[in-house]
Amino acid sequence: MDWVLGHLDDIGSYTVQHAWLAGVPLVLGLLIAVPLGWLSRQYNWLYTPLVVGTGLLYTIPSLALFILMPLLLGTTILDPLNVVVAMTIYTLALLVRTVADALRSVPDSVTASATAMGLRPLRRLFTVELPLAVPVISAGMRVAAVSNVSIVSVAALIGVPQLGSLFTDGFQRDFLDPIVSGLVACVVLALLFDLVIVAATRLLTPWLRTGAPTGRAA
Amino acid sequence: MIRFDSVTKEYPDGTVAVGGLDLTAPDGKITVLVGPSGCGKTTSLRMVNRMIEPTGGRILVDDKDTAKMDAAELRRGMGYVIQQAGLFPHRTVADNIATVPRLLGWDRRKSRSRSLELLERVGLPGEYADRYPHQLSGGQQQRVGVARALAADPPVMLMDEPFSAVDPVVREQLQDEFLRLQSDLGKTILFVTHDIDEAVKLGDQVAVLRVGGQIAQVADPATLLGDPHDDFVADFVGRDRGYRGLGFRTAPVLEPSPEPTVRLGAGVDEVRRSGDQWLLVADDDNRPLGWVEPSRITAPLVTEDLHRGGTVAVLGGSSRAVLDAALSAPSRRGVLVDDDGRLVGTVTLAEVAAAIEQAVGRGKR
């Protein structure tokens, strides 16, 4: 406990760094997953290659991906950009399927009537399909957020500072305090992410919070 | 006017959904496309607003080739109603109705007041404006669907089985209101259904399609029922077509006989005075309530004594209604009322039959 009180500054800055490394890719991943998911809905033949292809990215071991990044991006090994890009790839792996399935979950009668009223495809996507896909996308985002918070810690092994650094520190010194505080901070951060996503979802889906059918008559 | 000019839809695998359809839907009339599943009726409808592109032929709306128009613009000029209403679950009723007006650039206030006006028009209270679709029953949602299609006052309406997903009682109500609405608005309507009863009830003109999207017969409902073109149409139109055809004939000239009535609360003596087997009961405004059997009455008349089987026909209504009134009355005397529902008199089954026979003309032996 003394150790924690003495290192609040470190834990704080690690947490901020961790949040940034896990959070930015979450947003970037979503921004890329939306057009890909939309394409896989517009062109049915694209669904399997896109969803399976991006899904496979998730099987690349994180350490390998972090180490590969400088080669692909021409960055230095310590550049946090490596982690951001790698985490974006993982987010994408989870979210392309989510977005594709979320858009497919919009009832045909709704998309058909939107089309029939003269909404062009892009307008239909932003004003009808995406708003209705929010609950499903949100579920996928929650999984991706927790997964990101967990995977980012591996980046400590390539020297990018965040909560994972507490694990390597504790391990090297055979000292439990930093490991436990890193773990707790990770869980708190994951919960915080979850809370933000749930709150945003509530805000974006006011119609889901209204009462059941009232009138039964015609 | 919507004109199909040898319109074909053939899919890459060789399936012909619609094979050379020629049909004209006249201005201000309801044209119904009816047929078994697989007859291409929905495909034909969706080719009008180009949700499905024809592979051959042309579709003209007011003599303009739809293929040469911008698809989204074309659609904004056509109301479209589908089976499940297809309302946007994330938008309020008012916003749903305002969809096309907003697309056309109307401002918020004008769109809103148009929504409220249409809600009233389709028989829904104004306080429904700010509800979400899932807070409404299926029938109410379908009314909103009709209101939404009417929002920008398009001259053409496309309706794809709009009343099929609601229960029979609500369906009948929606159909009646739809006809009333149409008599005010006079839209050019193309209406798809698989239900021949709905087709003959709603259509000014009914096109029966057979599998493969070919027209078996185009006719007004009375002709369709009275003179089916071939076995397929006769079969599809179904049984009882002679009787159902009477629904399109104004009742023949009838001379109703006066019918004595009693009021509820009448004593046993009063009820039995006439000596007739059945006696008609009416309320204070002379609106018929039902028949009673005097021989069974042992105490002053109460509502429970009434026989409920008899239907009532409006004088000047359809032959079918008059015949049904005579058939259903336990006394076999059909009750006729005026437009306000007040008793005019009764006619016997024989009188109705004779009058109908006179009206349709005797066939030569």
Side-chain angles (χ1 to χ4, degrees):
Chain A
M1 203 59 203
D2 281 349
W3 184 90
V4 173
L5 293 175
H7 292 80
L8 276 180
D9 275 5
D10 284 346
I11 297 175
S13 69
Y14 280 158
T15 307
V16 170
Q17 187 75 357
H18 200 107
W20 194 79
L21 289 173
V24 169
L26 203 58
V27 176
L28 289 178
L30 178 64
L31 289 181
I32 303 170
V34 166
L36 291 183
W38 179 73
L39 279 176
S40 81
R41 193 201 138 100
Q42 283 301 94
Y43 308 100
N44 260 325
W45 58 273
L46 271 176
Y47 179 84
T48 310
L50 269 178
V51 167
V52 173
T54 51
L56 280 177
L57 293 173
Y58 203 75
T59 60
I60 307 173
S62 50
L63 190 55
L65 196 58
F66 289 147
I67 295 170
L68 272 175
M69 276 299 132
L71 298 177
L72 295 172
L73 301 169
T75 47
T76 63
I77 186 77
L78 287 178
D79 197 330
L81 190 63
N82 298 328
V83 181
V84 170
V85 174
M87 293 314 299
T88 303
I89 290 174
Y90 284 131
T91 309
L92 207 56
L94 290 175
L95 286 188
V96 169
R97 178 185 289 273
T98 299
V99 173
D101 291 344
L103 292 178
R104 286 183 169 215
S105 76
V106 177
D108 280 344
S109 62
V110 173
T111 42
S113 68
T115 306
M117 279 185 292
L119 274 77
R120 295 181 208 275
L122 272 187
R123 187 168 192 145
R124 195 181 77 190
L125 174 69
F126 285 109
T127 63
V128 178
E129 297 174 287
L130 273 182
L132 290 175
V134 162
V136 179
I137 294 179
S138 150
M141 287 282 281
R142 291 172 73 175
V143 174
V146 174
S147 141
N148 277 13
V149 168
S150 149
I151 297 175
V152 161
S153 55
V154 177
L157 293 177
I158 57 162
V160 177
Q162 26 67 32
L163 290 171
S165 310
L166 295 173
F167 302 152
T168 49
D169 178 41
F171 177 70
Q172 277 156 7
R173 293 195 285 143
D174 199 11
F175 180 38
L176 215 54
D177 283 15
I179 298 181
V180 172
S181 42
L183 217 62
V184 170
C186 272
V187 170
V188 170
L189 195 61
L191 282 175
L192 209 68
F193 273 25
D194 204 52
L195 207 69
V196 169
I197 296 169
V198 170
T201 307
R202 270 180 73 91
L203 215 67
L204 288 171
T205 55
W207 69 93
L208 294 180
R209 276 174 287 124
T210 46
T214 44
R216 286 312 312 160
Chain B
M1 188 180 76
I2 306 167
R3 192 153 69 87
F4 291 82
D5 185 1
S6 39
V7 173
T8 301
K9 178 65 189 181
E10 189 180 341
Y11 287 99
D13 66 358
T15 318
V16 178
V18 179
L21 179 67
D22 286 301
L23 178 70
T24 300
D27 280 339
K29 301 279 184 210
I30 302 175
T31 299
V32 180
L33 300 178
V34 65
S37 57
C39 72
K41 52 194 190 295
T42 294
T43 306
S44 301
L45 188 80
R46 289 188 166 201
M47 284 194 286
V48 175
N49 68 356
R50 290 179 53 197
M51 289 176 68
I52 296 175
E53 297 283 354
T55 48
R58 294 185 308 162
I59 298 175
L60 305 159
V61 174
D62 291 335
D63 294 322
K64 281 187 289 252
D65 188 344
T66 53
K68 298 201 173 82
M69 299 164 76
D70 175 78
E73 303 278 343
L74 172 75
R75 291 170 188 154
R76 287 171 199 175
M78 294 179 174
Y80 188 79
V81 190
I82 52 176
Q83 193 181 103
Q84 306 287 352
L87 298 181
F88 301 144
H90 62 305
R91 294 210 184 138
T92 61
V93 165
D95 288 346
N96 260 288
I97 299 175
T99 306
V100 178
R102 296 290 289 160
L103 280 176
L104 294 175
W106 295 21
D107 64 44
R108 209 168 278 277
R109 181 182 299 196
K110 189 177 165 198
S111 306
R112 168 93 184 172
S113 70
R114 176 69 176 157
S115 293
L116 293 175
E117 177 193 327
L118 280 164
L119 262 188
E120 194 189 325
R121 189 123 221 186
V122 297
L124 289 176
E127 73 240 32
Y128 279 29
D130 297 314
R131 293 193 186 171
Y132 286 103
H134 75 96
Q135 296 173 294
L136 271 54
S137 70
Q140 291 167 337
Q141 289 189 25
Q142 204 49 267
R143 285 164 198 246
V144 176
V146 172
R148 182 172 68 170
L150 289 169
D153 203 17
V156 170
M157 297 267 282
L158 307 176
M159 309 185 80
D160 190 358
E161 309 226 8
F163 308 135
S164 301
V166 292
D167 67 71
V169 176
V170 175
R171 186 182 314 146
E172 190 133 329
Q173 254 175 335
L174 289 173
Q175 289 168 342
D176 292 340
E177 283 170 30
F178 168 66
L179 284 176
R180 216 170 304 138
L181 210 57
Q182 167 65 357
S183 69
D184 284 353
L185 300 173
K187 301 286 183 193
T188 305
I189 295 173
L190 203 55
F191 189 110
V192 163
T193 180
H194 64 271
D195 175 357
I196 184 69
D197 291 320
E198 181 168 74
V200 297
K201 176 173 180 181
L202 300 182
D204 296 305
Q205 169 181 261
V206 179
V208 182
L209 302 184
R210 53 176 115 240
V211 176
Q214 265 149 2
I215 286 190
Q217 186 170 6
V218 183
D220 62 276
T223 309
L224 200 65
L225 289 168
D227 186 15
H229 180 255
D230 58 16
D231 285 348
F232 171 77
V233 179
D235 227 35
F236 191 75
V237 167
R239 294 168 187 278
D240 314 324
R241 49 185 181 264
Y243 179 59
R244 280 151 57 203
L246 290 176
F248 299 97
R249 263 176 198 286
T250 315
V253 185
L254 290 164
E255 282 165 30
S257 319
E259 183 75 31
T261 60
V262 289
R263 305 275 178 268
L264 284 176
V268 179
D269 289 347
E270 189 188 349
V271 171
R272 291 192 176 166
R273 194 175 301 147
S274 71
D276 208 331
Q277 195 198 338
W278 287 95
L279 182 62
L280 188 63
V281 184
D283 68 9
D284 293 337
D285 289 325
N286 210 24
R287 292 191 176 87
L289 296 173
W291 296 89
V292 288
E293 224 169 341
S295 59
R296 294 175 150 208
I297 301 301
T298 50
L301 268 186
V302 291
T303 316
E304 285 71 31
D305 296 324
L306 296 174
H307 183 285
R308 300 290 188 178
T311 58
V312 168
V314 177
L315 189 68
S318 76
S319 296
R320 181 176 170 168
V322 176
L323 182 59
D324 193 73
L327 278 172
S328 62
S331 61
R332 302 291 170 259
R333 298 195 293 277
V335 178
L336 297 179
V337 295
D338 62 16
D339 290 334
D340 296 324
R342 291 194 174 81
L343 180 68
V344 178
T346 55
V347 282
T348 65
L349 193 49
E351 285 167 346
V352 178
I356 289 175
E357 192 171 34
Q358 187 129 43
V360 299
R362 260 173 227 263
K364 281 190 184 145
R365 283 183 198 271

